[in-house]
Amino acid sequence: MRKYDNTNGSDQLKITKQKIINTIYIIFGILAIPLAAASISRTSVTGWIWIYTYYIVIAIIPVVILLFLHRVPYQTKVYTALVILISNAIFGTISFGVLSHGRMFIILVIVLAGLLLNKQQGYYFLIFNTAVLIVLALLFIRHEILPEQSTKTEGNHTRKDGSEFPVEISISTIELDNGKHILGFARDI
């Protein structure tokens, strides 16, 4: 004999959506601290860059919401999560290019908006995110924005006799009259 639940389909859908958004915040909370720590640790190599402030703020917001998870209204949780993912998509795309994983955040936002919001709001997010991706792609094509393509690391080089010595390796992109080039330096440290 089947046991029937007294809640109707609409209530079940609300409960499922609430579980999905709460799970998203638990994932955000788990990822927030290591990502903020990674941003802070990069300062020894790159110095303080404005984007690190963004990453730290984006790490704090979900943790605060997670602390008050059952007190924060559903719509606030959904829109905050979507804004966090959209901003990550935009900054990721600006930093690493249109073919980076930033566009995956845009796709994730479209899917989540469709699942967690009503149909009309889902369509708005689809149109908005598609427009964002097109604008970013056009800006990259026109070279209006270029990804920050510079890195510094340490490694070892080998002499002809086989002995190793430590070096600092610096690689960056430069724009010359005949196009974009990669410039690299290895400095004996």
Side-chain angles (χ1 to χ4, degrees):
M1 191 170 200
R2 274 178 90 170
K3 194 174 190 179
Y4 290 100
D5 192 357
N6 289 337
T7 58
N8 63 29
S10 176
D11 290 340
Q12 284 295 99
L13 183 60
K14 287 179 184 176
I15 292 168
T16 302
K17 287 180 175 184
Q18 192 68 251
K19 286 180 181 178
I20 290 171
I21 194 65
N22 289 347
T23 303
I24 289 169
Y25 275 98
I26 290 168
I27 292 168
F28 278 172
I30 291 169
L31 294 175
I33 304 303
L35 292 176
S39 290
I40 292 170
S41 71
R42 284 187 220 127
T43 60
S44 63
V45 175
T46 62
W48 192 263
I49 300 173
W50 67 270
I51 195 87
Y52 298 157
T53 306
Y54 160 78
Y55 288 140
I56 291 169
V57 169
I58 287 299
I60 291 171
I61 291 171
V63 171
V64 170
I65 289 178
L66 188 59
L67 290 173
F68 302 101
L69 194 61
H70 298 293
R71 293 182 185 166
V72 178
Y74 173 78
Q75 292 290 82
T76 303
K77 288 189 276 191
V78 171
Y79 284 115
T80 304
L82 294 175
V83 167
I84 288 170
L85 292 171
I86 289 169
S87 61
N88 277 331
I90 291 169
F91 284 120
T93 304
I94 289 171
S95 297
F96 304 111
V98 176
L99 298 178
S100 71
H101 294 297
R103 70 184 189 286
M104 301 311 275
F105 284 108
I106 291 178
I107 293 167
L108 181 61
V109 167
I110 292 167
V111 170
L112 287 175
L115 286 173
L116 300 174
L117 299 172
N118 64 41
K119 192 184 258 185
Q120 184 178 10
Q121 291 169 328
Y123 286 139
Y124 290 147
F125 269 92
L126 173 65
I127 293 166
F128 173 76
N129 285 315
T130 304
V132 165
L133 195 56
I134 289 170
V135 167
L136 289 172
L138 290 174
L139 289 174
F140 268 100
I141 289 169
R142 292 189 50 198
H143 301 290
E144 298 289 330
I145 55 176
L146 294 171
E148 186 179 303
Q149 300 279 331
S150 178
T151 187
K152 220 181 248 190
T153 188
E154 291 182 6
N156 290 320
H157 278 192
T158 307
R159 293 185 180 96
K160 284 185 180 181
D161 66 3
S163 63
E164 291 187 349
F165 61 99
V167 293
E168 178 184 74
I169 302 165
S170 176
I171 301 171
S172 61
T173 57
I174 59 170
E175 188 76 31
L176 299 175
D177 292 338
N178 60 346
K180 198 174 193 179
H181 299 275
I182 296 174
L183 178 64
F185 293 100
R187 185 173 64 90
D188 186 350
I189 53 175

